[in-house]
Amino acid sequence: MDVTLYQDAAENGKVRISLPEKWDTEYYGMPGDTMPALTPEQIRSRINRPSGGMKTIRELARGRETAVIVFDDASRGTKLKEIAEFVVEELLAAGIREDNIEFLCALGNHGAMTRGQFVKKLGENIVGRFCVFNHNPYENNVLLGYTPEGVPVEINREFAESGVRIGIGAITPHPLNGFGGGGKLLFPGIASIATTTGNHTKSKYGQMGQQSSPVMRMEIEDMTRMAGEFFKIDVIYNARLDIIGLFAGEPVAEYYEGIQAAAVTYRSRIPEKKDVIVANANAKVNEADLAILNAAAYLKETGGDIVLVNYCPDGQVVHYFSGPFGRKACGRQWGPMGDEAAHVRRIICLSPYPDKYSTLRFGDVDGKKRVVWVKTWEEAMELLRKDHGEGTEAGIFSDGTIQYFA
């Protein structure tokens, strides 16, 4: 079987792979992969029809002096440029001065982004005209109150004190929250580390798109309401990162409208257990361990191999909350992949950009040595053929970081 996988950092944005004819191979795409991208006119129209009784951006901004636009970071493949430029147009048309409009990157507890990364997300025009800030989860946050369980609700001061607050993000499957989107851009996006710790320990990692407990999501919604008026724009995209859906308005209302569509566009048929799974990782390119966990669930319990396709020049995201910072230093929720990946024999990482830090995130911890780096598909196949012959059962995931199986 010959398949094209989409990788933004690859030549022409594509990686071509081929599995042997005598293997029993199945391809698992998403319905969204065959859907057309929204046109600029459709994007603008949907933003101007907000849900939940929310006013339009231009109506919200009239008479206000300042505006902040919160956007998701490099861990998401959201194409923001066109949406950001339209939001700016609406704010300017409402009378807000250009110098009083700023952008705030919702890093959560991820490492700060550089100017070049801002340009990739927002475009040169936006970065050259407006101040673009990184969120800091350790400083400059204000206390809004406490949850019933005593969790402090702390949010970025710049956001809290702005006259108009707008967010641009995406609804995608998530292993803790079921689906990201809605108020999650604020909590943990621009929350303090204390708020994130109190909230994110309420759920355990599970299957993408299937929340293990509603407590975390409900608390995020309550905290979002505490944050006050907030106009949220959420997109849905496919393996090519085309925007195929858009929902806007009051963050809780638009979120629940959006996840109805997301539950269809990202959903894949459940695979039979496989000997080998090729898992593409492009939409959340620097959180590729999500694709590994997704693939591990569908390997045979007797053991199997995962080929991770992940062209990420910047490597995996720095995660202060749940990442390693040395062999004996880590974030407060760091932990290696456990029983859910115990039957994975090898993780063959296909990438021109190997790095040892990513090896730790992908599973080489506590003496385990199962991560192997290769730079070409031919090298990957050479390794696979040594252990897998005629009749090998294989699966290919179009993008294991955003699809879910249910």
Side-chain angles (χ1 to χ4, degrees):
M1 179 180 285
D2 296 329
V3 173
T4 296
L5 300 175
Y6 292 92
Q7 279 288 326
D8 273 13
E11 184 178 358
N12 299 317
K14 300 176 182 179
V15 176
R16 189 77 173 170
I17 68 170
S18 180
L19 293 177
E21 288 184 8
K22 293 185 178 181
W23 284 20
D24 180 7
T25 302
E26 292 188 279
Y27 176 76
Y28 297 89
M30 300 175 285
D33 292 345
T34 62
M35 295 179 181
L38 296 182
T39 66
E41 293 74 21
Q42 288 173 319
I43 288 173
R44 290 171 176 244
S45 174
R46 295 185 187 198
I47 293 173
N48 276 333
R49 296 200 311 269
S51 61
M54 200 83 173
K55 296 179 180 179
T56 65
I57 292 173
R58 191 177 299 194
E59 290 169 341
L60 284 175
R62 286 197 183 107
R64 309 282 178 93
E65 293 186 0
T66 59
V68 62
I69 303 166
V70 185
F71 63 98
D72 60 15
D73 74 348
S75 68
R76 303 293 184 266
T78 318
K79 292 183 177 179
L80 298 172
K81 178 178 176 292
E82 190 170 320
I83 297 173
E85 289 180 347
F86 176 62
V87 170
V88 166
E89 287 177 18
E90 293 297 288
L91 294 173
L92 293 173
I96 296 184
R97 293 176 53 243
E98 185 169 308
D99 286 347
N100 288 341
I101 299 172
E102 61 189 30
F103 285 77
L104 176 62
C105 185
L107 293 165
N109 309 126
H110 296 169
M113 284 172 56
T114 64
R115 183 188 186 280
Q117 290 173 312
F118 287 148
V119 169
K120 186 175 180 181
K121 293 286 285 189
L122 298 168
E124 188 67 54
N125 180 47
I126 293 288
V127 176
R129 290 172 61 195
F130 302 96
C131 284
V132 185
F133 298 105
N134 282 299
H135 169 63
N136 182 344
Y138 297 98
E139 305 286 348
N140 305 314
N141 299 295
V142 297
L143 178 66
L144 303 178
Y146 294 86
T147 69
E149 294 183 343
V151 176
V153 182
E154 297 173 331
I155 199 166
N156 183 281
R157 180 180 297 277
E158 204 74 9
F159 174 89
E161 297 179 356
S162 182
V164 181
R165 290 94 64 87
I166 300 164
I168 311 172
I171 295 174
T172 57
H174 190 274
L176 283 176
N177 203 55
F179 287 89
K184 201 168 178 294
L185 191 70
L186 305 184
F187 302 99
I190 55 170
S192 73
I193 188 72
T195 299
T196 299
T197 301
N199 174 254
H200 272 52
T201 52
K202 288 181 166 60
S203 291
K204 294 181 179 180
Y205 280 91
Q207 285 296 101
M208 300 276 279
Q210 301 175 48
Q211 189 176 40
S212 59
S213 168
V215 176
M216 175 181 166
R217 178 190 288 176
M218 292 170 63
E219 189 172 79
I220 288 174
E221 292 170 11
D222 289 341
M223 293 191 294
T224 300
R225 293 185 183 99
M226 291 175 67
E229 187 180 75
F230 176 49
F231 189 104
K232 180 65 189 297
I233 301 167
D234 272 320
V235 304
I236 294 172
Y237 45 75
N238 57 24
R240 297 186 302 277
L241 307 185
D242 294 331
I243 295 175
I244 56 175
L246 187 148
F247 301 84
E250 193 278 325
V252 177
E254 66 82 18
Y255 174 75
Y256 281 102
E257 287 182 13
I259 62 174
Q260 293 182 52
V264 175
T265 56
Y266 296 115
R267 181 175 178 167
S268 299
R269 59 192 173 90
I270 298 176
E272 298 292 332
K273 299 287 185 176
K274 305 295 183 183
D275 300 301
V276 174
I277 291 181
V278 180
N280 193 33
N282 187 42
K284 299 180 183 179
V285 69
N286 63 7
E287 288 190 320
D289 42 347
L290 293 173
I292 294 173
L293 287 170
N294 223 349
Y298 300 102
L299 281 181
K300 292 179 180 178
E301 286 78 6
T302 53
D305 291 333
I306 295 171
V307 181
L308 179 71
V309 182
N310 181 230
Y311 284 48
C312 188
D314 295 329
Q316 298 304 290
V317 69
V318 174
H319 205 308
Y320 291 105
F321 182 62
S322 61
F325 290 88
R327 299 194 182 278
K328 297 182 180 180
C330 58
R332 55 189 70 186
Q333 203 183 37
W334 160 251
M337 283 185 277
D339 293 341
E340 68 274 12
H343 58 301
V344 179
R345 286 199 299 252
R346 286 181 303 186
I347 301 167
I348 301 170
C349 299
L350 172 57
S351 174
Y353 314 103
D355 69 283
K356 293 290 286 185
Y357 170 76
S358 297
T359 298
L360 291 176
R361 286 191 62 108
F362 293 161
D364 266 14
V365 291
D366 298 333
K368 294 179 181 177
K369 298 290 183 183
R370 56 184 177 182
V371 176
V372 183
W373 293 90
V374 297
K375 293 187 177 182
T376 67
W377 177 250
E378 289 71 26
E379 291 178 83
M381 278 308 310
E382 185 178 345
L383 290 172
L384 290 173
R385 284 194 180 95
K386 291 178 180 178
D387 295 314
H388 304 282
E390 184 176 341
T392 292
E393 295 178 294
I396 303 171
F397 294 175
S398 67
D399 196 321
T401 64
I402 56 172
Q403 65 192 124
Y404 78 105
F405 303 89

